[in-house]
Amino acid sequence: MFRRSLAVVGATVLGAWLALTIVCVYLVFVKEQSMVYYENGLLENLQAVLLVVSCLIFFLTALMNERNDKLILLACALLCYGFFLREVDVERLDVHAFLVLIGSGMGRNLILLLATILILVVAIRNFAHYWQESMAYLRSPVALLFLLSAVTLFTGAYFEDANALPHHEFFEEGLELLAYVLILLASLAARKLVREPAQVALQTAEQTDLSQNDGRI
């Protein structure tokens, strides 16, 4: 049930991405609307939105009382936050100076570094627990989606300097958007992971009861 519902959500989200990509291809290669992939253009703004949503899903899922993987979820949220700051030039926005301080340059790097160190310290103090949780994640759709996202990002980086290719920045930004769509799916998969063990336990209990009843008969 878990994998089926995730597949439906994934197909819907990827379908929306495909439809948007087709529209963008038409705008860029037919209408010559290069602003689609410019800095702070449509694609970059959508990337930022996807990263914010993914970050919030990971973070809010970590706040759920029944989660045993809180630290992993927080690490994923931090990763999304880091990607968001990579895509958004905070220093160019009309925001408070404090937000510029913590969202760009040395301030940004320091906050990301301190947060990463804190997560690592907590993980080391609870090494056995988070080792088991990490191994469980590696066997889950979350890890597969993150892996596909990483491959997509590396592929997109190839087009950054492919100046001989017309509109090469479009391919870069389009693949980055796909990568962040995959991260969004990973956040949704992580949110649903908590349900699967409960369902398995319920099915096991039901099978046990049925076996006991058959034995009595």
Side-chain angles (χ1 to χ4, degrees), residues 33-186:
Q33 305 248 347
S34 302
M35 70 281 297
V36 168
Y37 56 79
Y38 282 177
E39 288 288 330
N40 298 319
L42 174 63
L43 292 181
E44 283 210 347
N45 288 331
L46 286 175
Q47 291 169 13
V49 170
L50 287 173
L51 288 169
V52 168
V53 173
S54 300
C55 182
L56 287 175
I57 293 175
F58 278 124
F59 181 75
L60 293 176
T61 304
L63 298 182
M64 297 170 63
N65 291 330
E66 66 270 24
R67 301 297 301 214
N68 294 319
D69 54 351
K70 295 179 183 292
L71 199 65
I72 297 175
L73 292 167
L74 291 175
C76 292
L78 180 64
L79 179 65
C80 292
Y81 175 69
F83 276 132
F84 172 78
L85 294 180
R86 171 180 174 269
E87 296 297 338
V88 177
D89 296 324
V90 179
E91 63 273 16
R92 296 183 180 180
L93 300 178
D94 185 19
V95 295
H96 194 276
F98 178 73
L99 294 179
V100 175
L101 176 64
I102 65 174
S104 62
M106 185 62 69
R108 172 194 60 199
N109 297 338
L110 183 60
I111 288 177
L112 291 174
L113 177 61
L114 291 176
T116 302
I117 292 175
L118 180 60
I119 288 175
L120 289 175
V121 168
V122 176
I124 292 172
R125 293 183 61 183
N126 301 274
F127 180 78
H129 169 72
Y130 281 108
W131 175 261
Q132 293 179 349
E133 290 293 331
S134 298
M135 292 302 101
Y137 259 78
L138 289 177
R139 297 188 295 269
S140 74
V142 179
L144 176 60
L145 288 165
F146 265 113
L147 177 61
L148 292 174
S149 177
V151 172
T152 306
L153 283 174
F154 278 117
T155 305
Y158 165 78
F159 290 99
E160 184 176 5
D161 298 320
N163 298 319
L165 183 67
H167 301 293
H168 64 96
E169 298 100 329
F170 171 73
F171 295 98
E172 177 196 359
E173 298 297 337
L175 286 170
E176 284 187 359
L177 182 65
L178 175 58
Y180 299 146
V181 166
L182 293 171
I183 290 179
L184 174 63
L185 293 178

